[in-house]
Amino acid sequence: MAGVELAIGNGLLGVGAGLALGLGAIGTGLAQQQIIAAVFGAIVEDPKQFGKGLFFILLPETLVIFGLVIAIMLMGRM
Amino acid sequence: MLKPERMSKLFVVGPKSTLPKIVSRLHELKIAHLIEHKKDEFDLCTPLENFEKLSSLLLQVRSITTHLNISSDQAKANIFKFKDLEKEIAKIKERVNKAIDEIKKTEDEISLISEQKKALKLMVLLNVHPEDFQKSNYIKSYLGYVDDPNIIKLEKITDRFEIYAAAEDKKTLIAVFIDSNFATKFEKILAESSFSDVDTSITSSLKGDAKDLFEKLLEKDEKLQVKLRTYQDKLKKIAEKHAHFLAEAEKFLSVEAEKAQIPLSFGSTREAFFLRCYLPKNDMEKTKEELMKSGNNKLYIVEEPLGEEEDIPVKLNNSKYIQNSEFFTKLFALPKYGEFDPSVLIAYTFPLFYGFMLGDVIYGLVTFALFYYLKKKFPVGKQFFNMMLAASMGAIIFGFLYGEFAGLELYHFWIERTHDFSTLMMISILAGIVHVNFGLILGFILEYNHHGLMKAANSKLSWIILQIGGVLFLGSLLKMLTVSKPLFYAGVFLFVLAVLMLLKGEGFIGVMEIPSILTHIMSYARLMAVGLASVFIAVMVNDLITFLFHKGILFWPLALISLLIGHTFNIALGILSPSLHSIRLHYVEFFSKFYQGGGKDYEPFGAEKQKSLI
């Protein structure tokens, strides 16, 4: 039975890792879609805003990277 | 190097008689960033006396060069006599205008003929003639298209009409002649059958058979085309013959007009003018001497102290390699005077981060070749491409360290990226700790210079104390590390101390921001994450190729295609992703510790603006 429990435990860890990464990616996407639309509006008005715009576009990418970090930490426990 | 060039402010007063000479000298020196004088008790200076003549001639030259498609960008600076220039330009202008008038006239005629041809062609189809459509009080005529001619039941209105119809495409072409008493009723029917009108007034001047007229117009059109080409050639010849002269004249005149206009930024009294300008401190003494010489020693020049709140223009002062990373600095914002110029830091950490992420010898070589080509092809983006070349070098070096060649790990030297996740993550986080704290130290120095030790300690040093306290206190609380009791309490003390300092230094917002230090450092995990994504895509592509290769010779073309598409795609990602993330780490995590930007560009009078991507 211990083997089965271990397998279930590992499976759940895998699901957790997947959720961490996937939900992080969805979060990033949701945030970026609005930011990118706004930034492009700003760049059309004033191309000098490109640098600052890029800064804001890249802000939410941290979410998916944290997701990946958590996923790797979970995988390490398998 | 870490700071922009030091500037000085000069105040120059002189008699108006020396003004032209001083303006010329300033323009030659290309060193003074002039400060515009705002009208106060002293009026603005007036432009040099030849300003109006110069600008009107410049306008004429520009209109000619636009017509002839001549650019003065590459023109050499030449010196002309104004009188000669005026005469020569008047001559060219007359010839150009004559040619242009003829071209316009001919083009108008050609377009009229083409319209007439269209109408005539329709009349030929219906076997009617232009004269039939002449205006008359008794008969009204119509020519045009309807969707369905069966709707038009003219018999119901009157029998005094004639109709011609011919099918064309999906529509029907009709010509109708009707007693003008019934015209209103008929037009109603036409409106219902979505009648689209063909203009017959343009052919009303023509007389005779439509078919003959059409042939005649064809001939006339050909003649006009020949005429048009002759005049266009003539214009081209004028352009070729005078291009050199015109470009140089335009350049000369625009420089002279700029000089003649600049006194508008100076202040003046009845007999004297005065100006203020910024210039690099190193060049000040020499500039003073030069100006004195040009003003026959009749000038009064004094250095004014720089104010604390003054918007002093910024001239970055970097060695040749580091000038390339100024691109990234400027893309974010030019530093303010007195701030650090982060270019020197980006110049080394950008390629380092990029290399750590991409880390593949083959990919690095490909991107190197690509950016080398782009640099030759688009010199405007030289700075950016040079940075990307350095970054590609970084990727090659890390590629050798990882032993990676297009995703294949040929030897094991340092880290095996497909397995040693935790080592990679540790290195990434370590890089984050070093980078973020380095930014905090820079911020501390800046605050110390501007607001003193207390403010600097409270708003910057507190973050470093917070990290040490946080690790000892929270780390052992979360059982991530074990420390002795006294160390734990020291941690608690440091943590609380840091929070109080932050509250004092940055207010409540500072305390709210406390978790950000953790997220900023953790954010460097992207150094690992982006790299892993790149490796695993490469490994997958390689697996697919091996699989196809072993399937037999029939699958080899497919293997080749997957090799090309897969790795090209991954290289494209490998350029985009690591460069964006590397620069983001600078902009978000690093700059936020010490950098604001928003400085004014140093634009010395007389210097040409350099072309760049931003």
Side-chain angles (χ1 to χ4, degrees):
Chain A
M1 279 309 276
V4 175
E5 267 171 30
L6 202 64
I8 291 175
N10 271 345
L12 286 177
L13 278 175
V15 171
L19 282 176
L21 186 57
L23 292 176
I26 290 173
T28 298
L30 285 177
Q32 273 187 340
Q33 80 181 53
Q34 299 190 10
I35 297 172
I36 289 174
V39 163
F40 270 72
I43 293 174
V44 169
E45 290 277 327
D46 175 10
K48 278 191 178 158
Q49 298 298 320
F50 180 78
K52 286 214 174 98
L54 199 65
F55 170 102
F56 286 116
I57 290 174
L58 293 177
L59 269 183
E61 298 217 337
T62 318
L63 295 179
V64 64
I65 285 161
F66 286 178
L68 181 70
V69 170
I70 300 291
I72 288 175
M73 279 162 73
L74 290 179
M75 301 278 275
R77 292 193 185 190
M78 271 190 188
Chain B
M1 195 153 70
L2 201 54
K3 285 239 176 158
E5 186 134 358
R6 294 188 60 194
M7 302 297 250
S8 304
K9 188 157 83 168
L10 278 189
F11 179 61
V12 182
V13 188
K16 275 188 178 163
S17 58
T18 59
L19 188 58
K21 270 193 170 172
I22 295 293
V23 166
S24 282
R25 198 78 197 104
L26 279 174
H27 195 275
E28 278 166 22
L29 288 172
K30 304 188 194 314
I31 194 107
H33 181 110
L34 294 164
I35 306 170
E36 215 164 295
H37 173 71
K38 296 263 155 57
K39 194 176 168 178
D40 43 22
E41 63 259 52
F42 296 108
D43 238 332
L44 299 181
C45 207
T46 43
L48 299 182
E49 54 181 339
N50 53 357
F51 174 64
E52 265 170 45
K53 272 187 184 172
L54 279 168
S55 51
S56 114
L57 194 58
L58 177 62
L59 211 66
Q60 292 177 30
V61 175
R62 286 221 169 117
S63 117
I64 298 174
T65 48
T66 339
H67 275 305
L68 300 186
N69 253 335
I70 296 170
S71 146
S72 67
D73 288 351
Q74 307 290 335
K76 268 189 285 177
N78 207 338
I79 293 166
F80 298 94
K81 271 196 189 139
F82 187 78
K83 279 262 163 66
D84 299 346
L85 209 57
E86 216 174 9
K87 246 189 239 163
E88 185 69 25
I89 287 168
K91 239 192 268 167
I92 299 174
K93 189 181 154 192
E94 201 193 314
R95 292 180 60 196
V96 170
N97 281 354
K98 209 173 145 196
I100 289 173
D101 283 348
E102 285 297 332
I103 288 174
K104 270 202 187 126
K105 229 166 74 190
T106 320
E107 277 173 346
D108 285 349
E109 273 181 74
I110 289 174
S111 79
L112 175 69
I113 286 180
S114 106
E115 290 298 313
Q116 286 177 331
K117 264 167 35 192
K118 261 188 224 161
L120 280 176
K121 213 171 167 187
L122 302 180
M123 291 179 196
V124 172
L125 269 176
L126 296 172
N127 205 13
V128 290
H129 305 287
E131 277 162 292
D132 301 339
F133 293 92
Q134 261 173 6
K135 272 201 178 135
S136 134
N137 288 333
Y138 309 108
I139 303 171
K140 280 212 94 173
S141 52
Y142 303 87
L143 178 69
Y145 294 96
V146 287
D147 289 338
D148 182 8
N150 297 327
I151 305 172
I152 302 170
K153 297 271 189 280
L154 278 170
E155 300 82 1
K156 283 185 185 167
I157 310 172
T158 170
D159 55 354
R160 295 170 59 77
F161 71 91
E162 250 178 71
I163 185 163
Y164 302 83
E168 201 188 85
D169 284 339
K170 278 176 190 166
K171 294 198 165 180
T172 306
L173 179 70
I174 56 163
V176 178
F177 306 93
I178 191 165
D179 187 331
S180 49
N181 290 325
F182 303 99
T184 349
K185 272 189 186 170
F186 175 59
E187 274 166 21
K188 239 185 229 168
I189 300 175
L190 278 181
E192 280 163 22
S193 59
S194 63
F195 176 73
S196 69
D197 184 41
V198 174
D199 186 11
T200 51
S201 65
I202 44 167
T203 53
S204 61
S205 59
L206 302 173
K207 288 196 170 60
D209 183 74
K211 206 168 179 181
D212 292 346
L213 281 170
F214 187 77
E215 301 288 331
K216 267 185 205 161
L217 282 186
L218 271 182
E219 266 172 45
K220 201 173 167 190
D221 188 42
E222 248 167 62
K223 270 184 202 158
L224 283 173
Q225 295 286 4
V226 174
K227 192 175 161 192
L228 181 66
R229 246 173 279 142
T230 336
Y231 278 106
Q232 279 169 341
D233 286 345
K234 212 171 178 180
L235 201 59
K236 227 189 231 166
K237 268 188 196 143
I238 299 175
E240 271 166 24
K241 192 174 165 195
H242 299 290
H244 213 64
F245 165 74
L246 284 169
E248 283 182 359
E250 189 183 335
K251 189 138 197 177
F252 169 76
L253 284 170
S254 52
V255 167
E256 290 304 311
E258 193 192 356
K259 281 201 237 172
Q261 191 193 16
I262 201 68
L264 280 172
S265 332
F266 304 165
S268 84
T269 65
R270 215 161 50 120
E271 300 296 340
F273 74 92
F274 63 89
L275 68 94
R276 286 190 170 82
C277 65
Y278 294 109
L279 72 176
K281 204 177 180 85
N282 293 336
D283 299 315
M284 190 182 65
E285 288 306 324
K286 216 181 110 205
T287 312
K288 258 186 185 173
E289 269 170 40
E290 294 273 350
L291 285 180
M292 269 299 187
K293 231 193 278 169
S294 320
N296 297 332
N297 289 323
K298 286 180 192 160
L299 302 183
Y300 168 73
I301 305 179
V302 66
E303 188 188 353
E304 288 190 345
L306 295 171
E308 184 76 9
E309 295 298 313
E310 230 170 288
D311 200 4
I312 303 162
V314 171
K315 185 187 181 205
L316 300 181
N317 176 25
N318 288 313
S319 64
K320 212 170 168 204
Y321 167 64
I322 293 160
Q323 276 173 12
N324 295 317
S325 68
E326 285 175 7
F327 171 83
F328 287 128
T329 309
K330 286 179 185 163
L331 191 67
F332 186 79
L334 200 68
K336 272 192 191 142
Y337 188 78
E339 256 192 324
F340 286 115
D341 168 17
S343 309
V344 57
L345 306 166
I346 301 179
Y348 297 109
T349 38
F350 175 78
L352 187 74
F353 289 166
Y354 183 94
F356 186 80
M357 285 188 264
L358 190 58
D360 191 298
V361 178
I362 305 279
Y363 285 4
L365 285 172
V366 172
T367 55
F368 190 92
L370 176 71
F371 286 114
Y372 188 79
Y373 168 76
L374 287 174
K375 181 182 149 186
K376 294 277 164 242
K377 184 105 187 176
F378 305 104
V380 191
K382 203 176 117 199
Q383 288 189 328
F384 172 68
F385 294 134
N386 276 338
M387 276 320 287
M388 291 311 289
L389 285 177
S392 304
M393 296 274 277
I396 295 170
I397 292 169
F398 272 98
F400 278 118
L401 287 177
Y402 299 145
E404 265 176 46
F405 296 79
L408 297 172
E409 197 170 20
L410 293 188
Y411 57 87
H412 187 64
F413 175 66
W414 180 40
I415 301 176
E416 197 181 346
R417 283 210 291 179
T418 41
H419 291 96
D420 299 339
F421 300 154
S422 45
T423 323
L424 270 177
M425 189 143 85
M426 288 256 284
I427 295 171
S428 305
I429 302 290
L430 212 64
I433 294 172
V434 172
H435 208 217
V436 163
N437 282 307
F438 186 54
L440 282 171
I441 291 169
L442 289 179
F444 176 81
I445 297 172
L446 215 58
E447 283 284 311
Y448 175 71
N449 286 342
H450 288 268
H451 302 111
L453 184 65
M454 273 312 279
K455 174 86 171 106
N458 282 339
S459 56
K460 299 292 170 190
L461 195 64
S462 52
W463 287 110
I464 299 176
I465 300 174
L466 185 83
Q467 289 171 55
I468 302 169
V471 168
L472 292 175
F473 162 49
L474 293 176
S476 50
L477 212 62
L478 294 172
K479 297 208 171 72
M480 281 163 85
L481 75 167
T482 41
V483 291
S484 62
K485 268 266 156 86
L487 264 181
F488 174 75
Y489 287 120
V492 177
F493 171 73
L494 287 177
F495 192 82
V496 175
L497 176 72
V499 173
L500 290 176
M501 283 168 86
L502 268 178
L503 198 61
K504 180 110 196 341
E506 303 207 343
F508 189 63
I509 303 274
V511 180
M512 293 267 291
E513 284 280 303
I514 282 176
S516 77
I517 193 77
L518 182 69
T519 55
H520 279 183
I521 289 173
M522 287 300 287
S523 180
Y524 283 76
R526 76 188 61 235
L527 291 178
M528 164 211 66
V530 174
L532 281 189
S534 160
V535 180
F536 276 108
I537 293 175
V539 168
M540 259 172 46
V541 171
N542 290 340
D543 284 351
L544 180 69
I545 294 164
T546 331
F547 170 74
L548 288 171
F549 191 76
H550 287 301
K551 273 233 153 181
I553 198 160
L554 274 177
F555 287 87
W556 286 9
L558 212 58
L560 187 72
I561 292 170
S562 351
L563 178 111
L564 286 176
I565 293 180
H567 283 299
T568 310
F569 167 75
N570 201 20
I571 288 171
L573 271 184
I575 293 168
L576 198 66
S577 213
S579 54
L580 280 178
H581 281 281
S582 176
I583 202 63
R584 173 226 140 95
L585 284 177
H586 290 88
Y587 284 174
V588 183
E589 277 79 12
F590 187 51
F591 279 11
S592 60
K593 305 292 174 289
F594 68 98
Y595 191 67
Q596 277 186 331
K600 198 163 70 176
D601 211 352
Y602 167 69
E603 286 169 338
F605 172 56
E608 276 181 53
K609 274 199 174 172
Q610 278 185 337
K611 279 189 177 173
S612 75
L613 286 175
I614 39 170

